[in-house]
Amino acid sequence: MYTFVTRDVAKTGAQMFSFLYRVFYDRTLFGSFVKNGKGYGLKPLFALTLFVAFCLSVRIFLIFSAVTPRLVAKIAEQLPEIVIEKGKIVSPKEYEYSYVFSNQNVFFVFDTTEEPLKLKNLPPNGIYITSDALVSVNADKIRRIPFVQLLNGKNLILNQTNMRQWGNEMVSLFRFLGPPLLFFFSIPGAFSLYFLVCVCYAVISYLMTHITGENLSWDQRMRLAALSVMPIYILNAAGFLLGCSFQLGRIGIFITLIYMFCFLKDGDNAAPSAAR
């Protein structure tokens, strides 16, 4: 009994993740999944969410793995003594420093001017230290960790010696805790975003089906939208994992509509199968 359940789970998982590559070429998906499937297309969306979360996590791990003790020491040599009292940097005041790791497309900014984050013209990933918090920036996803929380309310003085030690500890912390935390915490938000995007494209599909003459229920439109949005998000995630700077923004909408139109046009020739 246990063996059969395990096999069923493995088969279901394999079918779910097969959408990640089949969506690029398999036009039978219209008949097998859109026409004859069930639900709102949550299986491919969940596979997409896990894939994107995995790519983000691996990329963050690679980024922080490239920050060597030598680079930390180089940055520490250029910073003045830092005094943190009651969760806030009291020295130096009104100080700005930035460093960009050109090979890894990562930045480090130290800014105690208490002005809003200045992310313009900076790489998409990095660490931004303000007067009261350590801020991680990962592809426009910003997470703020107050010094009060990071230091448990303790005061801290960083000179050239312990600054290197503290910097290496922070890099190690982000390297090993950042990826798994990013993976698990990004799943709910990403899945919700993809579902809402699918709702929007399901509404747009009414115009598409008016052109192609297809008659679809709302469930079928949601499954069609789920398949149509996958390619653009897969390509963006893969590009981020490989360290590419491209992000298919507005052109992604055009690509999604092309995929939707292709699924609908090839729908009459799609052979139903058991993939659901």
Side-chain angles (χ1 to χ4, degrees), residues 198-217:
C198 284
V199 171
C200 294
Y201 279 105
V203 174
I204 294 175
S205 71
Y206 282 98
L207 176 61
M208 288 283 190
T209 53
H210 178 74
I211 297 173
T212 60
E214 287 285 347
N215 185 22
L216 302 178
S217 66

Side-chain angles (χ1 to χ4, degrees), residues 89-143:
I89 297 178
V90 296
S91 177
K93 291 185 177 180
E94 302 296 323
Y95 184 86
E96 293 184 71
Y97 171 83
S98 63
Y99 184 88
V100 176
F101 303 87
S102 56
N103 293 335
Q104 292 295 322
N105 204 28
V106 182
F107 70 85
F108 170 80
V109 171
F110 181 84
D111 185 353
T112 61
T113 61
E114 299 191 12
E115 295 183 5
L117 300 184
K118 306 169 186 175
L119 300 176
K120 188 177 181 180
N121 299 323
L122 287 175
N125 308 289
I127 295 294
Y128 202 116
I129 295 180
T130 66
S131 61
D132 63 350
L134 186 150
V135 181
S136 65
V137 181
N138 304 314
D140 297 328
K141 295 181 179 179
I142 300 174
R143 184 167 184 264

Side-chain angles (χ1 to χ4, degrees), residues 23-99:
V23 72
F24 287 97
Y25 67 86
D26 190 353
R27 295 297 176 248
T28 66
L29 286 175
F30 182 86
S32 64
F33 183 71
V34 176
K35 277 286 190 180
N36 301 313
K38 295 180 180 179
Y40 293 106
L42 300 185
K43 285 184 179 180
L45 287 186
F46 188 62
L48 173 64
T49 301
L50 293 179
F51 174 75
V52 171
F54 174 78
C55 290
L56 291 176
S57 301
V58 172
R59 182 56 185 167
I60 294 306
F61 176 80
L62 294 176
I63 287 173
F64 282 103
S65 295
V67 183
T68 63
R70 182 178 178 181
L71 288 175
V72 173
K74 181 178 180 180
I75 294 175
E77 291 174 356
Q78 302 178 52
L79 290 175
E81 183 178 81
I82 300 173
V83 180
I84 303 176
E85 294 181 357
K86 297 181 180 180
K88 189 171 184 178
I89 297 178
V90 296
S91 177
K93 291 185 177 180
E94 302 296 323
Y95 184 86
E96 293 184 71
Y97 171 83
S98 63
Y99 184 88

